Amino acid sequence: MRIIVHTGKGGVGKTSISAATALRCAEMGLKTIVISTDTAHSLGDSLEHEIGPEPTEIFPNLWAQEVDARYSMDKYWGAFQKYMVALFSRQGVENIVAEEVTILPGLEEGAHLLWINKYLNEGQFDVLIVDAAPTAETLRLLSLPDVTRWWFEKLLTFTRGASKILRPINKVLRGNDSTVPDDTAWAQVENLFDTLDRVRQLLSDPELSSVRLVVNPEKMVIKETQRTYTYLNLYGYATDAIICNRIIPPEVTDPYFEAAKAKQQENIAFIREAFGELPLLKAPLFGQEVGGLDALRTLAATLYGDNNPADKMFDGTTHRIESIGSDGYRLIVPLPFARKDDMDIYRSRDELTLRVGPYRRNIVLPYALWDLEIADARFENSTLNIRFQRDR
């Protein structure tokens, strides 16, 4: 199965891109499901079809689903939460409050990831398209396996201990004459975290999964997308394409749009600088809203031509960030055919600019590197290695 995640700043057209990509895959004979993990769902509107929290077939080979966090929480997390609600209620906490406080941080968003695991294990689909939430939420979602595992192991286990919680739960269960074993709830918790870890591995496998960043040719959108790309590299997720959406087409000759067209072309050049060798797919600004199968078909044809959207589009590595020791990082940038004497590096607090010959590359640095100094920079084996560490 291939997993393709579309993300980007809110309002750039991720949902239309996801729906069009899924439709193209389905029409190429691939059994495809497209799921929306955005809390403000619009996938059903784009497909002009009623869909819900379970998969709905809307076209031959095409299923769609708008993931509902509460529905998913009940499905995957219900047993443990019921035990915890009963425990807190015994302590005098009202049921509605107890239900809220027994949700572990981030697990509402994590419910989205559990569906990905389900579909991969069942093997009933060839392609899974994820219409992801805006970038900040998507980054929280993709970093969730690390965060939740820490929360469970370091905070919950250390401060209270599983036994301290299981004993009162056991009393609650006996008081209710329940026949469920004491360790059932915690076995569900462990299984949940193990599943999140598996999904992390699936999404970081470039042979299986790809992230595609959707942008509009606007400087603010591009800057946020650069930051997203850098963080995806930091977490080990493979980006294989940039999709630039809503480009004013050349046939629009109204003088009112001339300045906007010129600015867009300037920004498209900036996209090429910012994302190096990553493939750039382009889609025009259509004269009407992109909704319904016919419009989505047109969008897909513009984006992909005769190509299969499920194919991996990029095999190389544009840059990556590795942790070294407790307070350092290394930025690794492959620069084939570059010469050391024709290279410059400029650094501001949150951005690094590389110049190789007449070309520039802008890399937005993650927050963890903002207050670190460049300790050294070496160009070896066609690769630039820049080491960041705290100023001692």
Side-chain angles (χ1 to χ4, degrees):
M1 190 173 89
R2 280 282 290 150
I3 301 171
I4 299 170
V5 180
H6 292 119
T7 189
K9 188 174 172 64
V12 296
K14 299 182 300 295
T15 299
S16 298
I17 298 291
S18 297
T21 302
L23 179 61
R24 167 55 65 89
C25 290
E27 291 187 330
M28 296 186 81
L30 300 171
K31 198 170 181 183
T32 304
I33 182 168
V34 54
I35 69 174
S36 169
T37 65
D38 194 342
T39 51
H41 296 298
S42 56
L43 183 60
D45 297 330
S46 182
L47 292 164
E48 293 186 347
H49 201 288
E50 189 75 25
I51 58 179
E54 291 282 349
T56 302
E57 186 172 10
I58 62 174
F59 190 78
N61 285 328
L62 179 60
W63 282 255
Q65 176 184 10
E66 291 180 338
V67 177
D68 180 271
R70 281 292 173 178
Y71 177 88
S72 303
M73 287 292 292
D74 290 341
K75 186 179 180 79
Y76 290 107
W77 180 247
F80 179 80
Q81 194 181 13
K82 286 175 184 175
Y83 301 151
M84 293 300 290
V85 168
L87 171 63
F88 279 107
S89 299
R90 271 286 185 92
Q91 305 302 319
V93 178
E94 292 187 17
N95 281 3
I96 190 168
V97 176
E99 185 174 337
E100 293 298 322
V101 301
T102 54
I103 297 176
L104 290 173
L107 283 189
E108 285 195 71
E109 295 93 338
H112 304 320
L113 297 178
L114 300 177
W115 288 99
I116 296 174
N117 184 69
K118 174 184 184 317
Y119 295 137
L120 192 78
N121 286 341
E122 292 176 351
Q124 66 185 100
F125 297 107
D126 300 311
V127 184
L128 167 62
I129 308 290
V130 181
D131 171 27
T135 46
E137 293 176 49
T138 299
L139 288 170
R140 281 200 302 272
L141 184 66
L142 294 177
S143 63
L144 185 66
D146 294 334
V147 174
T148 51
R149 176 62 70 179
W150 183 94
W151 196 96
F152 178 69
E153 292 180 349
K154 303 298 183 186
L155 181 61
L156 189 60
T157 304
F158 178 77
T159 58
R160 301 189 64 181
S163 61
K164 292 181 181 179
I165 295 180
L166 283 174
R167 280 198 295 271
I169 287 178
N170 189 39
K171 292 178 183 178
V172 172
L173 294 178
R174 285 203 305 270
N176 292 337
D177 295 323
S178 173
T179 59
V180 180
D182 292 348
D183 60 354
T184 299
W186 284 96
Q188 189 182 37
V189 174
E190 286 289 357
N191 182 62
L192 186 64
F193 287 126
D194 289 342
T195 301
L196 290 175
D197 287 339
R198 274 199 305 276
V199 174
R200 163 67 186 268
Q201 293 170 9
L202 298 174
L203 291 176
S204 59
D205 180 355
E207 297 304 317
L208 180 70
S209 305
S210 297
V211 179
R212 293 177 186 168
L213 298 172
V214 183
V215 300
N216 295 151
E218 302 170 12
K219 186 62 69 74
M220 186 181 297
V221 175
I222 298 167
K223 283 288 188 180
E224 178 171 324
T225 308
Q226 283 182 270
R227 191 166 289 109
T228 302
Y229 177 59
T230 297
Y231 279 106
L232 289 171
N233 274 276
L234 191 59
Y235 286 114
Y237 297 107
T239 302
D240 76 345
I242 307 297
I243 300 175
C244 188
N245 192 26
R246 298 177 181 158
I247 302 170
I248 301 172
E251 57 267 26
V252 175
T253 57
D254 190 318
Y256 180 82
F257 292 100
E258 285 306 309
K261 284 172 63 179
K263 190 64 178 176
Q264 282 194 350
Q265 292 306 310
E266 179 182 318
N267 287 335
I268 290 170
F270 179 68
I271 291 172
R272 294 188 186 280
E273 285 182 2
F275 296 99
E277 298 177 7
L278 277 176
L280 176 61
L281 309 182
K282 294 186 282 188
L285 175 66
F286 290 95
Q288 58 188 12
E289 188 175 356
V290 179
L293 299 186
D294 288 340
L296 293 173
R297 232 176 245 115
T298 301
L299 174 57
T302 304
L303 276 175
Y304 303 111
D306 296 327
N307 297 322
N308 183 349
D311 289 342
K312 186 168 65 167
M313 296 187 179
F314 183 69
D315 276 316
T317 302
T318 56
H319 74 265
R320 69 183 188 273
I321 298 172
E322 297 177 349
S323 175
I324 48 173
S326 59
D327 62 349
Y329 293 89
R330 181 180 289 111
L331 172 64
I332 301 169
V333 188
L335 294 171
F337 311 115
R339 298 201 324 268
K340 184 176 181 179
D341 60 0
D342 197 20
M343 186 183 305
D344 288 311
I345 302 173
Y346 308 93
R347 194 263 171 99
S348 61
R349 189 179 185 220
D350 65 342
E351 189 173 49
L352 197 73
T353 300
L354 306 178
R355 186 194 61 79
V356 180
Y359 300 102
R360 290 185 310 160
R361 173 86 187 281
N362 297 296
I363 298 174
V364 174
L365 301 175
Y367 179 76
L369 272 62
W370 284 11
D371 294 325
L372 303 186
E373 299 295 329
I374 293 180
D376 63 60
R378 299 184 181 183
F379 185 65
E380 300 171 333
N381 300 320
S382 298
T383 302
L384 179 64
N385 291 268
I386 303 175
R387 184 163 59 90
F388 293 82
Q389 71 177 31
R390 199 166 301 282
D391 190 18
R392 300 182 184 280

